[in-house]
């Protein structure tokens, strides 16, 4: 192109980019001021981690945060310094990062000289499947790791073209930051190899594979460590994860088609999808993996005509591999699929489709394809706007989930906690009871049910629910404490003391339980023991007037805690 035309085209690109980013922000307008959802409180930095020392613990202490993603939780630590407990700022950071990812994706596709780069970027920007990743604060995991992922890819492609060490070092550094944000980015070197095969038709060890060995090694170590964290620290174990290897293969086949279906026809998107039953005895369940293998074989056979479709499928399934069911992932106890699992994997479908539509423009002319592309983006934007409305607050989200997935016990249980906070106790109790019909062994729901019943002074029923909670999980200190409170209200002080003492033994820093233990000992006529417990409480809460008064009365009677 002449220089002036090239300059004009760049300006058109910038205008399109700004327009696309503005459209993204408008499409997500209903979620701008959305509240905190589900496990956001497990990701927003806890009070004990908000200091510089706490930041050090984020990096050096697996288990200090919900998942060991130190780069991610450093970002949350910084966000809390700026936004505190106001959710709007967190939402805008997610939106900005998603917009950045759209631009970085376009830059990667331009470097690869792929047709339809802007259309692919637009679909990625506005597809409603991405709403869960962008509108849910927790999924900063996706938007932040995605930025590092695309940045690493762009830097490595520059290295591949120029063979300069600085680009290699930058790519490796960004890849490490991506792994520290979310481990699914470990699939990047595999995706790069597929891209090189697509470009060249064959792979050379020294040119293509050897430089990526450190990337593969880091990804493998990161993946194994994350698997250990999921198993040992997060709790991805138990009956829900007892599938055989054959059944895990059946899950994988169905998961692939599920995600492809949601990309092609994004209807009935749900925060928590139904967890379908899996059985290796059901012949029809083998159709999913069989169809996937047949499709893969057909694309391999067609590779001489076009390698693009096969490359896209390999990137799609390869990026999904960590969540196909072969490894234990904590959310699998609720559902085998979730929209946020395919944030990056979706590009394996989106990019070839966009490239194919652009190539089709050579036959019918650019205008029909441009109009079709604009209509597609408009439709996706409307769907994203509608989908983002359900992320306004937790109650809206859970009610929408129940409407589309009535068998979702977790939605009933979590909605019960939400309505209980606004003191709708009767509704909360009904929701807990519904959740327990769907999942009779859920400890947290029994605890919440017992707590709601106790507030309503339905103490015998509260005792039964809380007894079930501590039977199912004997180490549940809060359940022991609430059970002790209900028993004490019924005058069963000896039983109450046992549960208060158990709660203190399980959690020596559980000041409320220690306080309850002290007062029940006082009521049981054991002032010396009560004085010791209440003195420990006063060390933590020196302004507790009731404890102060009790200790003063005990001191006058000659009962003082040992210094």
């Amino acid at each position: 192109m002449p220089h002036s035309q090239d300059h004009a085209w760049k300006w058109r690109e910038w205008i399109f980019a700004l327009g696309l980013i503005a459209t993204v922000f408008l499409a997500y307008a209903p979620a701008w001021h959305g509240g905190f959802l589900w496990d956001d409180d497990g990701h927003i930095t806890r009070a004990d981690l908000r200091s510089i020392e706490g930041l050090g613990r984020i990096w050096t202490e697996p288990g200090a945060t919900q998942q060991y993603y130190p780069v991610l939780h450093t970002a949350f630590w910084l966000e809390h310094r700026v936004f505190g407990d106001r959710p709007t700022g967190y939402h805008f950071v997610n939106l900005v990062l998603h917009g950045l990812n759209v631009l970085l994706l376009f830059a990667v596709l331009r470097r690869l000289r792929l047709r339809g780069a802007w259309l692919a970027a637009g679909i990625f920007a506005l597809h409603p499947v991405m709403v869960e990743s962008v509108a849910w604060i927790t999924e900063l995991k996706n938007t932040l790791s995605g930025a590092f992922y695309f940045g690493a890819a762009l830097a490595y492609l520059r290295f591949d073209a120029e063979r300069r060490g600085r680009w290699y070092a930058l790519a490796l550094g960004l890849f490490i930051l991506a792994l520290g944000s979310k481990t699914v980015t470990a699939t990047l070197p595999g995706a790069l190899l597929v891209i090189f095969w697509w470009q060249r038709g064959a792979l050379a060890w020294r040119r293509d594979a050897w430089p990526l060995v450190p990337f593969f090694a880091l990804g493998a170590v990161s993946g194994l460590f994350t698997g250990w964290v999921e198993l040992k620290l997060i709790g991805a174990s138990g009956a829900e994860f007892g599938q055989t290897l054959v059944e895990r293969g059946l899950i994988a086949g169905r998961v692939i088609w599920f995600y492809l279906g949601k990309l092609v026809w994004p209807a009935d998107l749900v925060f928590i999808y139904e967890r379908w039953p899996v059985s290796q005895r059901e012949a029809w369940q083998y159709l999913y993996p069989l169809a996937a293998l047949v499709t893969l074989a057909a694309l391999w056979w067609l590779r001489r005509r076009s390698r693009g479709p096969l490359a896209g499928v390999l990137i799609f399934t390869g990026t999904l591999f960590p969540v196909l069911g072969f490894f234990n992932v904590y959310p699998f106890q609720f559902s085998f699929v979730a929209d946020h699992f395919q944030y990056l994997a979706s590009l394996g479908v989106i990019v070839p489709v966009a490239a194919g539509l652009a190539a089709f423009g050579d036959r019918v002319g650019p205008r029909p394809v441009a109009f079709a592309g604009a209509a597609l983006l408009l439709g996706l934007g409307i769907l994203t706007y509608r989908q983002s409305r359900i992320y306004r607050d937790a109650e809206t989200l859970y009610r929408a989930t129940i409407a589309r997935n009535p068998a979702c016990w977790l939605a009933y249980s979590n909605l019960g906690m939400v309505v209980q906070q606004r003191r709708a106790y009767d509704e909360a109790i009904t929701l807990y009871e519904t959740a327990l019909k769907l999942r009779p062994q859920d400890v947290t729901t029994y605890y919440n049910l017992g707590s709601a019943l106790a507030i309503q002074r339905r103490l015998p029923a509260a005792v039964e629910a809380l007894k079930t909670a501590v039977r199912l999980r004997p180490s549940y200190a809060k359940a022991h404490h609430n059970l002790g409170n209900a028993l004490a209200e019924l005058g069963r002080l000896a039983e109450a003391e046992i549960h208060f003492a158990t709660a203190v033994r399980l959690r020596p820093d559980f000041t409320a339980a220690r306080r309850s233990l002290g007062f029940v000992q006082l009521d049981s006529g054991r002032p010396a023991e009560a004085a010791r417990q209440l003195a420990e409480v006063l060390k933590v809460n020196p302004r507790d007037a009731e404890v102060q008064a009790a200790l003063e009365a005990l001191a006058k009677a000659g009962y003082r805690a040992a210094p």
Side-chain angles (χ1 to χ4, degrees), residues 203-224:
L203 295 174
W205 169 256
R206 291 182 61 84
R207 180 191 61 194
D208 300 322
W210 173 248
L212 286 170
V213 168
F215 289 77
F216 278 109
L218 287 169
V221 170
S222 179
L224 289 171

Side-chain angles (χ1 to χ4, degrees), residues 173-204:
L174 290 171
F175 180 62
I176 291 170
L177 292 173
L179 292 174
S181 305
K182 191 172 184 179
T183 315
V184 70
T185 55
T187 57
L188 174 62
L192 288 170
L193 279 184
V194 171
I195 288 170
F196 296 148
W197 171 80
W198 162 73
Q199 286 182 320
R200 297 158 184 163
L203 295 174

Side-chain angles (χ1 to χ4, degrees), residues 50 60 70 72 79 84 128 146 158-159 164 170 173 223 315 354 366 418 523:
R50 291 171 188 170
T60 60
L72 169 75
E79 283 186 313
R158 188 76 176 266
F159 161 76
R164 293 185 180 181
L170 178 60
I315 290 174
V418 172
D523 292 340

Side-chain angles (χ1 to χ4, degrees), residues 12-331:
R12 286 197 293 272
E13 284 184 329
W14 276 109
I15 292 170
F16 189 91
L18 293 173
L20 183 57
I21 300 305
T23 304
V24 168
F25 272 80
L26 289 174
Y28 283 92
W32 286 358
H33 303 292
F36 293 117
L37 306 174
W38 191 13
D39 63 345
D40 283 344
D41 59 347
H43 289 82
I44 304 301
T45 310
R46 298 194 317 263
D48 61 312
L49 297 176
R50 291 171 188 170
S51 63
I52 296 297
E53 292 77 11
L55 180 60
R57 288 179 59 199
I58 287 172
W59 283 85
T60 60
E61 186 181 320
T65 52
Q66 186 151 314
Q67 291 171 301
Y68 184 73
Y69 291 148
V71 176
L72 169 75
H73 285 283
T74 297
F76 275 122
W77 187 88
L78 292 169
E79 283 186 313
H80 193 273
R81 289 268 168 147
V82 178
F83 307 125
D85 294 325
R86 299 179 298 276
T88 300
Y90 297 89
H91 283 298
F92 272 90
V93 168
N94 267 18
L95 269 171
V96 168
L97 284 171
H98 183 56
L100 174 63
N101 290 340
V102 170
L103 299 182
L104 288 170
L105 169 64
F106 173 73
V108 169
L109 299 180
R110 281 294 302 271
R111 176 156 285 278
L112 294 173
R113 301 181 184 278
L114 270 165
R115 302 287 300 274
W118 270 124
L119 180 58
I123 294 172
F124 177 67
L126 296 171
H127 200 291
V129 161
M130 311 306 163
V131 171
E132 187 169 290
S133 295
V134 181
W136 184 13
I137 290 171
T138 288
E139 285 310 312
L140 178 67
K141 288 181 285 191
N142 269 347
T143 55
L144 180 64
S145 66
F148 292 130
Y149 177 97
F150 290 124
L154 196 58
Y156 194 89
L157 292 172
R158 188 76 176 266
F159 161 76
D160 182 67
E162 301 178 9
R163 296 289 153 167
R164 293 185 180 181
R166 63 183 181 183
W167 293 114
Y168 185 88
L170 178 60
L172 188 61
L174 290 171
F175 180 62
I176 291 170
L177 292 173
L179 292 174
S181 305
K182 191 172 184 179
T183 315
V184 70
T185 55
T187 57
L188 174 62
L192 288 170
L193 279 184
V194 171
I195 288 170
F196 296 148
W197 171 80
W198 162 73
Q199 286 182 320
R200 297 158 184 163
L203 295 174
W205 169 256
R206 291 182 61 84
R207 180 191 61 194
D208 300 322
W210 173 248
L212 286 170
V213 168
F215 289 77
F216 278 109
L218 287 169
V221 170
S222 179
L224 289 171
F225 181 72
T226 298
W228 178 85
V229 170
E230 288 276 344
L231 186 64
K232 299 297 183 181
L233 301 182
I234 299 178
S237 60
E240 294 89 350
F241 301 91
Q243 297 84 13
T244 66
L245 183 60
V246 172
E247 287 173 336
R248 289 175 183 259
L250 298 178
I251 292 170
R254 189 165 179 178
V255 165
I256 290 169
W257 290 109
F258 176 89
Y259 285 130
L260 180 61
K262 291 302 180 184
L263 284 173
V264 174
W265 190 256
D268 298 322
L269 301 180
V270 188
F271 183 60
I272 302 172
Y273 290 99
E274 180 184 3
R275 190 181 192 271
W276 58 73
V278 181
S279 174
Q280 61 192 50
R281 296 184 180 88
E282 297 287 342
W284 64 270
Q285 295 193 21
Y286 290 83
L287 294 176
Y288 292 103
L290 181 62
L293 292 173
V294 169
T295 301
L296 193 62
L299 294 176
W300 175 258
W301 183 72
L302 292 170
R303 73 191 187 282
R304 289 190 174 90
R305 294 185 61 185
S306 175
R307 294 187 294 272
L310 178 57
V313 167
L314 290 174
I315 290 174
F316 178 62
T317 55
T319 308
L320 283 175
F321 184 74
V323 292
L324 287 183
F326 296 110
F327 307 104
N328 289 0
V329 180
Y330 184 76

